[in-house]
Amino acid sequence: MIDKVTAISEAMKCVKSGDIIMIGGFTLSGSPIGLLRKLSELPITGLTAISEDCGYIRDDVKRKNAAALFDNGQIKKVIVSFLGMNPTVHKMIAEGTLEHELVPQGTLAERIRAGGAGLGGVLTPTGIGTIVEEGKRIIEVNGEPYILELPLRADVALVKAYRADRMGNAVFKYSAQNFNPLMATAADKVVLEVEEIVEPGKINPEQVQLPGVFVDYVVHCPEEVIL
Amino acid sequence: MADARMIIAKNIADMLKNGDFVNLGIGIPTMVSKFIDPKKTVLLHGENGSIGQDGLITGNRDEIYKFELTYGRENGDWQRGHRDLCNAGCDYITLLPGGCCFDSAMSFIMARGGHLDATVLGGLQVDTEGNLANWMVPGKRVNGMGGAMDLVCGAKRVIVAMEHTSKDGEHKLLKKCTFPLTAAKCVSTVVTELCIIDCENGKFIVKAIVPGITRKELQEKTGAPLTFANTLEKMQIPE
């Protein structure tokens, strides 16, 4: 049997300084909090993060995801659709220490999908007539203008599912899918954080939402509730 | 006493039809769901990957954590809430029977692909061409456009929910937007606390007006010429 279950410290060795990383999750839901916490303890810097947001939601939410990576200065560039409320991120942008590229959320999803699917890009109407189209190729199809948006890939994707088998076949809880299954297709190495590991066969094949072939490491991180 | 936001939300809720599939943005649009007639089933699209939002689980921080402890580890609790069941605003939600969850690509297939009957979102400026600016004020902190640019792209109807003028009394309904656009020529209807306006052929057509305001007063609060529909309806004021 292929057994991808790996200790977190071993799995996270695939992240190197200067890497492009994808971070799954939409705000807290589906965020690989355990992997991010581990990464924040490692001497890794100069990362480019591709993510929906910057890992800080609002003051009354104590569980943090990517926020510590910014506080530690480990990230030099973000490609996100929402910078959010993270005060560190806005301070870094104001000081010019964080490069940022804002991408419409649906375009971000399609660029990642294109990266994972081996496509040369996607043509989208999103952003036509706005600053998003600046510097990009506009291609007319059937008389309508579309922006050519280029694929995104990463060195490592850090993603989170609720449950996976040892081969990496995974299922997600409710709205925690978001960018996770997409990102898992678009990176050279994929680390999957899960709350529960089961034996192959315990997940009905028709219910697998992320096929295990995309996953390199399965890391068990029991969800903790912080009070 | 109904405030401006409630008037806007109520009048948008009345526009939605039984069976409509609708995205409600953050802010006033979120309030729309409270005013939807319970006899109607309106399926709500959550851009982060759900259809069928029912309730919103609110409460202070301690209550939310307690909620996580109580319900966080059970299965099949989409009707009571789960810590992995949120809306785009990071609030915990519940789903109606028949709701479903999916990934972000699927979510925006629904938006961009023309599958939404309506998208309701906030606005900073709208102009007579139907251009919308709602994500960025020059010189101020930018948070990002999130899903707004995609959500207005394919929806059959784009409804902007915004107060008629800014807090400083500046016009928000203009001949031409001055802020960076969210999308060009996308707005179908603007609902403010004073009137309901359709953007048609480069004109603001007033379809309904709130009781107690004259056409002249409304025009003074608007930064572009208004055309009044032949049969001008009265806006609903919620109790």
Side-chain angles (χ1 to χ4, degrees), chain A residues 25-80:
Chain A
F26 188 111
T27 63
L28 279 173
S29 129
S31 177
I33 292 176
L35 302 180
L36 293 169
R37 185 175 300 134
K38 183 69 188 175
L39 183 55
S40 73
E41 294 163 0
L42 298 173
I44 290 171
T45 57
L47 296 170
T48 295
I50 301 170
S51 179
E52 195 280 325
D53 52 73
C54 289
Y56 181 96
I57 318 309
R58 54 192 194 200
D59 290 333
D60 65 343
V61 176
K62 284 185 184 171
R63 288 193 306 153
K64 299 286 188 277
N65 36 25
L69 303 179
F70 294 98
D71 293 340
N72 297 346
Q74 290 175 276
I75 294 182
K76 66 162 192 197
K77 181 178 179 182
V78 289
I79 300 173
V80 295

Side-chain angles (χ1 to χ4, degrees), chain A residues 101-160:
Chain A
E101 180 183 341
L102 290 171
V103 183
Q105 202 180 115
T107 299
L108 185 65
E110 284 301 313
R111 289 180 67 187
I112 294 166
R113 199 182 62 82
L119 302 176
V122 288
L123 296 177
T124 178
T126 303
I128 287 286
T130 76
I131 59 175
V132 168
E133 74 176 24
E134 286 172 11
K136 293 174 185 165
R137 279 178 67 188
I138 310 292
I139 294 172
E140 204 170 285
V141 180
N142 294 333
E144 295 292 329
Y146 294 86
I147 300 176
L148 173 63
E149 292 280 6
L150 300 178
L152 284 171
R153 281 194 63 88
D155 297 297
V156 181
L158 305 178
V159 294
K160 155 87 195 283

Side-chain angles (χ1 to χ4, degrees), chain A residues 77-100:
Chain A
K77 181 178 179 182
V78 289
I79 300 173
V80 295
S81 79
F82 195 65
L83 293 164
M85 308 301 165
N86 188 338
T88 309
V89 166
H90 289 285
K91 187 163 168 278
M92 289 172 79
I93 288 172
E95 290 168 352
T97 53
L98 182 69
E99 290 176 62
H100 66 291

Side-chain angles (χ1 to χ4, degrees), chain B:
Chain B
M1 179 64 191
D3 67 8
R5 296 157 63 87
M6 289 162 70
I7 295 172
I8 297 167
K10 159 75 177 158
N11 282 271
I12 293 173
D14 288 353
M15 289 176 184
L16 304 176
K17 295 191 290 292
N18 188 44
D20 272 0
F21 177 34
V22 177
N23 183 284
L24 301 179
I26 294 167
I28 303 174
T30 305
M31 295 168 61
V32 170
S33 63
K34 290 184 201 158
F35 291 97
I36 296 172
D37 181 343
K39 292 197 284 291
K40 289 192 282 196
T41 300
V42 173
L43 292 174
L44 299 181
H45 171 258
E47 69 174 16
N48 58 324
S50 73
I51 290 177
Q53 177 181 329
D54 184 13
L56 201 59
I57 297 160
T58 54
N60 64 29
R61 186 175 67 192
D62 290 343
E63 284 169 347
I64 290 170
Y65 288 135
K66 196 173 156 203
F67 163 79
E68 284 207 3
L69 274 178
T70 312
Y71 295 120
R73 286 162 194 274
E74 294 174 25
N75 291 329
D77 38 16
W78 46 272
Q79 282 178 298
R80 281 183 304 170
H82 185 278
R83 62 183 151 69
D84 275 336
L85 184 51
C86 307
N87 65 13
C90 199
D91 298 305
Y92 295 105
I93 60 170
T94 58
L95 296 181
L96 292 166
C100 59
C101 298
F102 36 84
D103 69 39
S104 295
M106 177 63 87
S107 177
F108 287 96
I109 284 172
M110 293 168 185
R112 239 189 278 97
H115 308 279
L116 285 169
D117 293 298
T119 189
V120 182
L121 72 177
L124 294 167
Q125 295 178 335
V126 174
D127 68 27
T128 49
E129 293 292 335
N131 296 319
L132 169 68
N134 87 337
W135 74 283
M136 185 179 176
V137 179
K140 292 211 176 155
R141 194 178 99 167
V142 176
N143 282 331
M145 68 290 277
M149 287 189 177
D150 298 282
L151 287 165
V152 298
C153 243
K156 294 189 182 84
R157 192 170 183 193
V158 173
I159 302 170
V160 176
M162 67 176 192
E163 288 172 64
H164 201 88
T165 54
S166 76
K167 286 190 181 72
D168 308 324
E170 284 173 33
H171 292 156
K172 299 174 74 170
L173 288 152
L174 304 168
K175 284 179 193 153
K176 193 159 181 56
C177 292
T178 57
F179 295 163
L181 296 186
T182 305
K185 298 184 179 176
C186 65
V187 179
S188 323
T189 303
V190 183
V191 179
T192 78
E193 75 279 19
L194 302 180
C195 66
I196 299 173
I197 287 176
D198 282 356
C199 298
E200 282 174 18
N201 306 319
K203 285 182 180 160
F204 282 150
I205 314 285
V206 182
K207 295 282 167 113
I209 191 165
V210 81
I213 187 171
T214 65
R215 294 182 182 204
K216 184 163 172 289
E217 285 167 338
L218 187 64
Q219 181 62 73
E220 281 166 6
K221 289 174 184 288
T222 310
L226 296 173
T227 306
F228 289 85
N230 292 335
T231 47
L232 198 58
E233 292 182 24
K234 276 201 180 117
M235 282 179 82
Q236 299 295 312
I237 306 290
E239 286 165 16

